[in-house]
Amino acid sequence: MSGDFLPENSIVVGCGAVGLDLLATVAAFPQPDQKIRSTSFKTQGGGNTGNALTCAARLGLKPRIISKIADDTQGRRILDELQADGVDTSFIVVSKEGTSPFTYIIVDNQTKSRTCLHTPGFPPMKPADLTESSLLSALNGTKIAYLDGRLHETALVVAHEAVKKNIPILMDAERPREGLDDLIKVVDYVVCAAQFPQVWTEAATVPKALVSMLLRLPKVKFVIVTLGKDGCIMLERTANEVPSTEEEMDVDQLLESLETKKNASINIPTCISSSVTNLRADGIGTICGKLYIRTAENIPPYELIDTTGAGDAFAGAVLYAICANFATEKMLCFAANVAAAKCRALGARSGLPRYNDQCLASFRE
């Protein structure tokens, strides 16, 4: 990725989870059978796809969302919030009966962690809920598609049609789910949670797991694993670039080498990368690519409010960066800044920045 432009009006289509989050902040997580009081409470839209596309909308993209809710109070609140942020909800299926998805979230001020108790919506979305004409309309003019691994049967229909139309797909792989193996085979980019690569590949280390993923998924251009306060690691396939040497480099040793170049005195996100290298994962194979590490912003404890939806914010920012054709290093730091801004407010959406906000000023220069 090189040379960037502002992608106003770029259309992104997402298929996956929406919901309503009921967030309670507590001084410390309760013990069993204990009664405590919350220190603050907020009700806000949620769901991985709802959050990621809200982030993309605030940055300047034009998202369309494919999902399902019920015609209830929660469902109407979900629609209202998405529409207020500029997300096109005309492809959301509204069931006359049933219940919309919702999640209780306990935000622990002591550990700066959150615990989620999710109640799925009913009835679940099925491919028959999405007519062919609606699918074609949703994908018309689309620059990129996004999947969060949920609603897997419908998502696979969306993915196959996107592939036919040469629309690239970004997938957020939070954890192994039913149908994920079929979805991940057809996508172009993967952003995943910290545990996913090793769980999915059974590799001994994260770097080995990333090599394994690119070998098993020949269509995927890059995989990013997000690590919270430890930043992220990215492995990018470089099929069109020739390594400076034909010698292979052990991928774990290369990561260790990059880690030594971190500067702990720098509080803002920074990116360190290898050259194009033949990366070897013993017992797995070799891939030609570039390895990147990116540090996270060092947020002062008094500013760190809630990490709910930080990964969704990161994914939404990556969608924007791909549409804007950001260089890889710029993309990773941009997404880190967006996620850090989100963590300074309660809930998945309150802190999501707009492209013109001061926290993103350095990316507009």
Side-chain angles (χ1 to χ4, degrees), residues 86 118 270:
H118 179 64
T270 56

Side-chain angles (χ1 to χ4, degrees), residues 157-333:
V157 173
V158 173
H160 283 159
E161 191 62 34
V163 170
K164 286 182 188 177
K165 295 180 177 299
N166 295 315
I167 298 169
I169 304 170
L170 171 71
M171 183 170 188
D172 185 355
E174 192 175 47
R175 59 183 175 84
R177 302 179 188 276
E178 183 180 1
L180 180 139
D181 286 1
D182 292 327
L183 284 172
I184 203 168
K185 291 175 185 176
V186 300
V187 307
D188 301 86
Y189 313 99
V190 180
V191 176
C192 49
Q195 297 82 13
F196 179 84
Q198 286 176 266
V199 171
W200 193 69
T201 65
E202 299 183 345
T205 66
V206 170
K208 283 187 172 71
L210 296 181
V211 171
S212 179
M213 288 181 71
L214 287 190
L215 288 172
R216 291 170 61 175
L217 303 168
K219 192 170 185 282
V220 169
K221 297 176 177 63
F222 67 64
V223 180
I224 303 171
V225 54
T226 58
L227 304 171
K229 62 181 178 60
D230 294 320
C232 74
I233 303 171
M234 171 176 167
L235 182 56
E236 182 179 35
R237 191 190 305 274
T238 52
N240 297 324
E241 296 184 56
V242 179
S244 56
T245 173
E246 293 186 5
E247 292 184 11
E248 296 179 357
M249 177 73 176
D250 180 86
V251 69
D252 288 316
Q253 292 180 8
L254 179 57
L255 178 64
E256 290 177 8
S257 173
L258 294 179
E259 293 279 0
T260 64
K261 298 178 182 179
K262 285 183 178 179
N263 186 340
S265 65
I266 300 177
N267 290 328
I268 62 172
T270 56
C271 189
I272 303 165
S273 66
S274 72
S275 59
V276 177
T277 308
N278 289 312
L279 299 167
R280 183 185 72 254
D282 290 339
I284 295 172
T286 302
I287 195 98
C288 182
K290 288 184 73 173
L291 190 66
Y292 300 79
I293 60 172
R294 192 263 304 147
T295 62
E297 181 178 345
N298 186 12
I299 304 175
Y302 62 87
E303 291 186 16
L304 179 58
I305 304 300
D306 179 21
T307 60
T308 301
D312 302 333
F314 186 93
V318 170
L319 286 170
Y320 181 92
I322 292 172
C323 289
N325 206 27
F326 280 8
T328 301
E329 292 87 347
K330 182 176 180 178
M331 174 185 75
L332 293 175
C333 291

